[in-house]
Amino acid sequence: MKRAKHIKLNRQGILWVVAALSISMLPQLAAMPAHLIPITLLPIVWRLLAEFRDWKPMPMVLRVLATGFAVAALVITYGGLMGRSAAVSMLALMLSLKLLETFRIRDARIVVSLSLFLCGTQFLFSQGVPMIIYITACVLSSLLALMYLHRGEAYGNLGKAPDNDRGILTELGFGVRLVALAFPIGLVLFLLFPRWSSPLWGIPEDALDARSGLSDSMTPGSIQSLFMDDSPAFRATFEGVIPSHGQLYWRGPVFWDFDGSTWQVSFLSRNLMADTKPDPGRAPLRYEVQMEPTEQRWLFALDYPALVPRRTRLTMDYQILSRRPVTQLFTYAMASNPNFQDTPQLRQTLLRAALELPQGFNPRTAEMMAEWRTEANSDTEIIQRTLAHFNREEFSYTLNPPLLSRHTVDEFLFDTRAGFCEHYASAFTVMMRMAGIPARVVTGYQGGYYNNIGSYVLVRQSDAHAWSEVWVRGSGWTRIDPTAAVAPERVEQGAVDSLAQRRHLFDFEWLRNVRNTFDLFQRGWNNWVVAFGADSQSRLLSIFGWDVLNSTKLVIVMIATIAFVGAITFLLAPLLLKFRSPRKQDPVLRAWQKFNRKLARAGFVSSPSMGPLELAECAGGQLKYKDDAIHRIAELYTLCRYSQADGDALKLAELVNGFKPEPAVR
Amino acid sequence: MTEISLQETSLKNDRFERLQDAVNMVNQIIMGKEAQVKLAFSSLLARGHLLIEDLPGVGKTTLAHALAAVIGVRYQRIQFTSDLLPADILGVSIYRQDQKKFEFHPGPIFAELVLADEINRATPKSQSALLEAMAEGQVTIEGETYPLPKPFFVIATQNPLDLVGTFPLPDSQLDRFLLSISLDFPEPEVERELLTAQDRVLMLEDTKPVISPADVIKLHADCQQIHVSDALLDYVQALLAETRSSRWFETGLSPRAGIAMLHCCKAFAFLEGRDYAIPEDVKAIFPSLARHRMTVPHGMETSVMEQITGLLNQVAIP
């Protein structure tokens, strides 16, 4: 085969290449350290100047020096070239440097192809739906550039100038048709290529869009900050009954240690495992949780979890802790039994831990609780009295509580009387401990949005909640939600809907509903693309009856499917790629072409060089029985097409449609 | 709408009817040559001059006579011979002894219709005297400029080039003629009628003019009103471009020829009674327009007319 000539890149070509590269590079530019940005942009600027000022290509020595400088800058910045950020930055920088020597179509094509790869690397950083939209834009711009380059090359090999008079939409349409042809094969590769057990995209590093969510400590205000965040925390798909909104307490970090302002996870609760857990066989709630990455170890479950997912452990206060932080989409099956009795016998060490309070804090509360203690006969009575206190006195549930200083509980109970769930949980737990009742703070999520279409519960960061548990002899740890005593609608409706005020400027209820419904797509994307691993693959294949396939068999199936799909694509390609002439848009011409086709079917083949009246004369001579109709159509056509008067195109179309010659006998 | 109705009235007016009468009358004198007569009239209406290339005796002169007779214009005939001088065409200034000054005696060219017979028998010098007058519409002699009458229409006849004693016209001069036609021998039945019917010369004497020179000038303006659509211009351009591709002719048609084609096409459409031109008009005039402007490339064994037919069949109508 003759080697293709090296065709020079013209101005339009270089502009296309720069545009495609810049679009693909944008997020990388935003993410890289500031001093690397000018280094990355410089070659692009040089190349554009070279184009407009007719500079010669840069000498080899300078290019090598520039590359060396760039690598040095990368090594100094990242301390090496390994690692995700460094590697992607290097790709962006080298692509930009490649422009220095891009003066031919061959080089330009490499740049555009690699900029497609560059935008693919963005999946390493973010896998959300907005990313898809952005990547689509990248792909389209690169596609346009590639088509332009290929046409330039094809015409260049013939020694001609390409005809680039097509509109951008026509161009794009053609590109999309090309992609449509490639799509089935891509889909087969995606679905059938042997998978690792973990999803392809998951990279155990600092995934940028991991929301930390709940953390290992709680101060007044920490949950409140989550409340502003509408990003999803996890989704739960129930088998069978879905508990009512008020029952959905998703258990997360449990706090024992209080230093006067901050609640913290205790050493004991982290390291003591649960002695007993509910019998999974008899747990009434069964569901699957798909968790967004959090960079934390907690998994969330309804009270009380009966299953322990792989690589996790269940602590004695029924937190599920993963061995590694959750850095990628994580799906686990879960069962819960809400009627389980938690720790009927409390050990001495734990009892002490559940009663411990720092010295010298909150004297007023201590005084009140001592008084209540003497007046009460049982623990239950004190609990009831406290809740009644919250309910009856002028406590309010608000998003903007006043700031508290040293004696947080005192100030809250007697002065400010306005707070968010963590204020109530914290104050209640402290009050219980002061009255000698073992108590702890539990954080997690309360409620969630039930998506009707997808039949799953979506829990957002804004559903974060804090409540208390008290240990009562005989019945064990019991959940008490003091917030419910102040604002029952918080538990019944959810945190966001229970507030009268808007959280921010764009916080409208209808908008939230739209978002909740649209979460369906996010979930589908998660299920079918981001979290598509070996499990999902074998589940998909089992539909077709291939239960367990090893890699070799999978590859055979894959190749066979590609051959089949490829053959169909090959047959369909000419149909899909035929360029439609824009002239056909003219109704007069369209009618005339239709008329010509009808004549051809009737056995009269017209020549393109025939004028309409000439054609009518010949056709009328051949198809005598239609002579009149043919002449009428031809005359109306000449009138429509050549005269100044606006001919009646509709009438022409009507005449043509009514023209029904007998098909030719062969 | 008003514009269209105006157009229609101008077509339906009696000037147009008299033009049709004139065409019919010429057709009665020159029998069986409707196409050529129509082309001759197109050339007249498009303000172009006509070249008739044919053997002697097929009716070239009669056609010119007939045109002159129906239009009612002054008619002059110049027989070109090898000793014809420019002054014999244009006229001379003669010194009048009695008045002691020069007096200009206009030559035969000062007539509305001039028949230049056997133009290629004269020397190039005399040929160019005629052709320059045709191009400029005026004659300059000894510093004095004398305008030619309006309308001014030249019919030149030319013997086939291979005859002995001819000076072929150069391409640039040929370009001055809008159309060139040939009359050919008549069909047998027509010829029988020619032989039996009245003498043509007597018929011409009996013919009364139906249109006046003033009418011709108005008809010129009428033809300019004919509508030419973009689609038709596309076709004209496609034809021009095709003539310039090397496979058909030595050289292609010039832009001037393109403009002439459009004028002529309008005139032809007007004669057909349409107020817009269609591709058939272009195809009808194109051979006459192209054949005297074109030469077949060296080494090709075809005639110009064959090439023109091939080209017309090649170019698709957009």
Side-chain angles (χ1 to χ4, degrees):
Chain A
M1 211 175 91
K2 208 179 99 191
R3 220 178 106 90
K5 283 178 275 181
H6 289 315
I7 293 136
K8 285 193 75 180
L9 192 59
N10 60 13
R11 177 161 301 172
Q12 208 182 342
I14 192 71
L15 289 180
W16 271 117
V17 171
V18 168
L21 181 61
S22 310
I23 292 177
S24 305
M25 215 181 250
L26 272 180
Q28 191 48 41
L29 283 177
M32 63 174 46
H35 63 274
L36 285 182
I37 296 174
I39 302 180
T40 314
L41 288 181
L42 206 60
I44 301 181
V45 173
W46 182 89
R47 183 61 187 89
L48 285 177
L49 283 176
E51 185 58 40
F52 286 101
R53 304 232 168 134
D54 290 328
W55 290 349
K56 287 208 172 64
M58 206 179 254
M60 173 73 109
V61 186
L62 279 180
R63 274 180 286 161
V64 170
L65 279 178
T67 312
F69 175 71
V71 171
L74 281 170
V75 170
I76 291 166
T77 309
Y78 291 101
L81 295 176
M82 301 302 283
R84 187 168 41 168
S85 301
V88 176
S89 289
M90 182 161 95
L91 181 62
L93 195 46
M94 291 297 149
L95 261 181
S96 159
L97 283 168
K98 174 77 185 167
L99 280 184
L100 294 182
E101 56 173 17
T102 302
F103 283 84
R104 292 178 308 191
I105 285 188
R106 194 185 68 109
D107 294 314
R109 218 171 41 210
I110 293 173
V111 173
V112 178
S113 310
L114 283 175
S115 71
L116 271 175
F117 181 67
L118 180 68
C119 79
T121 60
Q122 294 306 316
F123 271 120
L124 300 178
F125 299 99
S126 168
Q127 301 156 6
V129 169
M131 202 60 189
I132 321 286
I133 297 163
Y134 166 73
I135 298 265
T136 309
C138 285
V139 168
L140 289 183
S141 64
S142 301
L143 213 65
L144 280 173
L146 274 180
M147 277 199 305
Y148 180 84
L149 295 175
H150 273 287
R151 187 174 302 122
E153 193 171 52
Y155 277 83
N157 282 332
L158 297 173
K160 281 198 251 172
D163 54 334
N164 286 310
D165 53 351
R166 295 177 190 87
I168 199 157
L169 280 180
T170 319
E171 227 31 318
L172 212 53
F174 189 66
V176 168
R177 277 182 271 166
L178 282 175
V179 172
L181 279 180
F183 184 77
I185 292 180
L187 189 68
V188 172
L189 281 170
F190 180 81
L191 292 178
L192 297 181
F193 199 84
R195 295 281 179 161
W196 303 110
S197 58
S198 66
L200 182 65
W201 314 104
I203 298 234
E205 258 183 52
D206 48 331
L208 282 178
D209 58 349
R211 306 278 177 168
S212 46
L214 294 168
S215 67
D216 56 358
S217 68
M218 185 187 90
T219 42
S222 62
I223 289 183
Q224 196 186 328
S225 67
L226 287 178
F227 186 61
M228 304 299 292
D229 182 1
D230 266 338
S231 59
F234 56 86
R235 299 173 180 82
T237 315
F238 283 88
E239 292 169 25
V241 263
I242 298 169
S244 72
H245 200 277
Q247 297 298 309
L248 292 171
Y249 278 87
W250 305 94
R251 193 181 187 85
V254 180
F255 301 117
W256 296 68
D257 294 355
F258 185 58
D259 66 358
S261 67
T262 307
W263 286 91
Q264 270 172 329
V265 187
S266 79
F267 174 81
L268 288 175
S269 85
R270 259 184 192 285
N271 291 290
L272 288 180
M273 296 301 108
D275 296 332
T276 58
K277 63 178 179 66
D279 178 8
R282 278 194 282 169
L285 301 175
R286 299 191 157 271
Y287 49 97
E288 190 183 70
V289 179
Q290 185 188 66
M291 210 177 128
E292 297 281 330
T294 57
E295 302 282 325
Q296 305 279 355
R297 291 163 190 268
W298 285 280
L299 270 51
F300 298 91
L302 291 173
D303 286 341
Y304 284 91
L307 292 173
V308 185
R310 271 192 306 172
R311 293 165 197 273
T312 59
R313 57 209 163 89
L314 192 62
T315 63
M316 57 87 188
D317 46 10
Y318 298 96
Q319 310 174 53
I320 308 171
L321 287 180
S322 166
R323 221 172 280 169
R324 289 166 180 282
V326 180
T327 52
Q328 60 196 34
L329 215 55
F330 181 49
T331 309
Y332 51 90
M334 188 46 71
S336 293
N337 185 356
N339 304 316
F340 175 72
Q341 199 179 34
D342 179 6
T343 330
Q345 297 294 325
L346 198 60
R347 269 185 274 172
Q348 273 304 312
T349 41
L350 291 177
L351 191 68
R352 236 180 286 127
L355 286 171
E356 198 176 289
L357 281 171
Q359 292 298 311
F361 283 92
N362 308 314
R364 284 188 278 170
T365 315
E367 197 182 316
M368 181 175 82
M369 290 320 290
E371 194 185 312
W372 287 8
R373 175 84 259 178
T374 53
E375 288 167 16
N377 297 321
S378 69
D379 290 354
T380 325
E381 215 179 299
I382 294 177
I383 296 166
Q384 291 302 339
R385 185 167 179 179
T386 315
L387 287 178
H389 179 72
F390 279 132
N391 193 323
R392 234 174 286 138
E393 303 288 324
E394 284 289 304
F395 282 95
S396 63
Y397 178 72
T398 174
L399 183 57
N400 305 308
L403 290 175
L404 304 171
S405 55
R406 180 179 159 86
H407 302 293
T408 50
V409 178
D410 272 5
E411 286 162 31
F412 172 66
L413 279 181
F414 299 104
D415 307 331
T416 66
R417 295 198 165 187
F420 203 60
C421 59
E422 70 253 46
H423 296 91
Y424 289 97
S426 172
F428 182 82
T429 312
V430 168
M431 288 163 85
M432 288 302 105
R433 287 190 178 183
M434 282 174 170
I437 303 168
R440 63 192 182 192
V441 171
V442 183
T443 57
Y445 298 91
Q446 202 282 317
Y449 172 83
Y450 177 68
N451 190 314
N452 273 316
I453 308 166
S455 311
Y456 66 97
V457 174
L458 162 69
V459 178
R460 296 183 182 280
Q461 295 296 355
S462 54
D463 290 317
H465 192 49
W467 58 93
S468 295
E469 279 179 342
V470 292
W471 188 81
V472 181
R473 194 173 301 277
S475 51
W477 288 104
T478 311
R479 180 172 66 222
I480 306 286
D481 189 350
T483 314
V486 182
E489 65 277 6
R490 160 67 185 91
V491 177
E492 297 305 323
Q493 296 170 12
V496 176
D497 291 327
S498 64
L499 275 176
Q501 70 204 97
R502 271 194 271 152
R503 290 175 300 165
H504 47 82
L505 197 58
F506 299 106
D507 189 26
F508 300 105
E509 192 176 349
W510 63 267
L511 194 62
R512 287 201 298 271
N513 288 339
V514 168
R515 283 180 53 158
N516 282 334
T517 312
F518 264 91
D519 181 71
L520 197 65
F521 295 103
Q522 175 82 50
R523 178 170 173 259
W525 172 249
N526 281 350
N527 279 344
W528 288 103
V529 181
V530 180
F532 191 82
D535 285 351
S536 323
Q537 192 175 45
S538 60
R539 228 180 300 162
L540 180 79
L541 288 176
S542 68
I543 300 173
F544 298 99
W546 299 309
D547 270 338
V548 184
L549 286 182
N550 59 21
S551 297
T552 323
K553 280 184 190 160
L554 204 54
V555 168
I556 292 170
V557 169
M558 184 178 79
I559 290 173
T561 317
I562 286 178
F564 178 67
V565 172
I568 291 177
T569 310
F570 185 76
L571 290 177
L572 288 182
L575 275 180
L576 209 61
L577 293 185
K578 219 195 293 181
F579 252 123
R580 278 194 210 104
S581 157
R583 272 207 208 93
K584 280 195 177 165
Q585 301 308 315
D586 182 357
V588 173
L589 262 183
R590 200 164 52 211
W592 181 248
Q593 278 159 357
K594 189 171 176 184
F595 176 63
N596 273 323
R597 284 196 298 275
K598 284 189 169 181
L599 283 179
R601 272 201 296 277
F604 174 78
V605 181
S606 61
S607 135
S609 70
M610 273 185 181
L613 298 182
E614 199 182 348
L615 182 142
E617 204 58 44
C618 297
Q622 190 179 331
L623 311 168
K624 286 227 163 44
Y625 61 101
K626 284 284 181 188
D627 195 23
D628 274 0
I630 291 171
H631 273 95
R632 263 218 310 282
I633 290 172
E635 273 155 28
L636 185 55
Y637 170 70
T638 52
L639 201 67
C640 289
R641 188 143 168 76
Y642 297 107
S643 90
Q644 208 168 14
D646 286 329
D648 192 349
L650 285 177
K651 172 83 176 152
L652 179 66
E654 196 182 304
L655 279 179
V656 170
N657 285 335
F659 178 68
K660 293 200 171 67
E662 289 162 26
V665 186
R666 287 175 199 264
Chain B
M1 275 318 280
T2 48
E3 218 174 311
I4 294 160
S5 50
L6 272 177
Q7 201 71 41
E8 277 170 359
T9 50
S10 76
L11 271 185
K12 299 279 182 293
N13 66 21
D14 107 291
R15 191 160 63 235
F16 178 70
E17 271 166 24
R18 279 185 282 123
L19 176 66
Q20 295 290 28
D21 288 346
V23 175
N24 290 337
M25 285 167 77
V26 174
N27 274 331
Q28 279 166 25
I29 298 165
I30 314 288
M31 289 167 71
K33 301 290 173 205
E34 283 82 4
Q36 283 91 332
V37 169
K38 199 180 250 177
L39 287 169
F41 270 95
S42 305
S43 181
L44 173 70
L45 293 179
R47 277 186 283 190
H49 305 289
L50 183 67
L51 181 66
I52 308 178
E53 283 184 282
D54 222 325
L55 295 164
V58 289
K60 298 188 292 259
T61 319
T62 315
L63 176 61
H65 266 286
L67 280 175
V70 296
I71 302 172
V73 289
R74 274 177 292 160
Y75 166 69
Q76 288 283 0
R77 172 180 176 155
I78 310 170
Q79 181 63 50
F80 278 49
T81 54
S82 54
D83 54 359
L84 186 83
L85 293 173
D88 299 334
I89 303 169
L90 306 177
V92 282
S93 292
I94 294 167
Y95 187 71
R96 288 282 297 263
Q97 202 79 46
D98 49 338
Q99 291 173 9
K100 295 194 190 297
K101 67 170 190 181
F102 281 95
E103 193 183 78
F104 179 63
H105 285 249
I109 196 149
F110 287 88
E112 278 88 359
L113 200 159
V114 176
L115 173 65
D117 217 358
E118 299 185 298
I119 188 170
N120 56 345
R121 284 182 60 196
T123 54
K125 193 173 183 178
S126 305
Q127 288 173 357
S128 62
L130 171 74
L131 295 162
E132 276 169 36
M134 280 162 56
E136 278 148 36
Q138 60 187 28
V139 170
T140 304
I141 296 160
E142 287 165 11
E144 285 289 317
T145 300
Y146 306 95
L148 292 171
K150 276 181 186 167
F152 179 63
F153 183 50
V154 174
I155 300 176
T157 71
Q158 184 171 232
N159 293 323
L161 294 177
D162 44 355
L163 288 190
V164 183
T166 55
F167 296 95
L169 291 168
D171 288 352
S172 60
Q173 307 278 31
L174 283 171
D175 202 26
R176 310 244 185 261
F177 291 98
L178 179 61
L179 296 182
S180 89
I181 57 175
S182 68
L183 290 169
D184 285 333
F185 295 117
E187 301 289 311
E189 11 348 331
V190 176
E191 186 153 30
R192 169 61 69 93
E193 219 173 315
L194 273 177
L195 294 172
T196 54
Q198 204 186 356
D199 187 4
R200 301 292 119 180
V201 181
L202 291 176
M203 275 179 79
L204 280 171
E205 279 175 4
D206 290 346
T207 305
K208 297 276 173 293
V210 287
I211 44 177
S212 65
D215 280 339
V216 174
I217 289 171
K218 283 183 189 139
L219 286 168
H220 286 162
D222 288 342
C223 288
Q224 289 307 309
Q225 301 299 316
I226 300 298
H227 177 69
V228 174
S229 65
D230 284 345
L232 191 84
L233 287 175
D234 285 347
Y235 181 52
V236 168
Q237 282 195 295
L239 276 180
L240 289 174
E242 188 66 25
T243 62
R244 291 164 195 164
S245 79
S246 57
R247 48 196 283 233
W248 301 104
F249 304 109
E250 197 84 317
T251 52
L253 284 175
S254 65
R256 182 165 65 191
I259 295 167
M261 173 152 46
L262 210 60
H263 282 306
C264 193
C265 178
K266 287 179 178 178
F268 194 87
F270 181 74
L271 278 169
E272 291 274 315
R274 263 185 276 104
D275 64 351
Y276 56 93
I278 61 172
E280 276 84 350
D281 299 334
V282 181
K283 289 179 85 169
I285 57 124
F286 184 76
S288 300
L289 184 111
R291 67 176 211 172
H292 59 291
R293 291 181 164 95
M294 298 299 197
T295 46
V296 177
H298 284 297
M300 244 189 213
E301 290 293 314
T302 55
S303 73
V304 172
M305 281 313 275
E306 278 166 3
Q307 291 289 85
I308 288 172
T309 314
L311 185 146
L312 278 177
N313 287 335
Q314 187 68 35
V315 178
I317 290 173

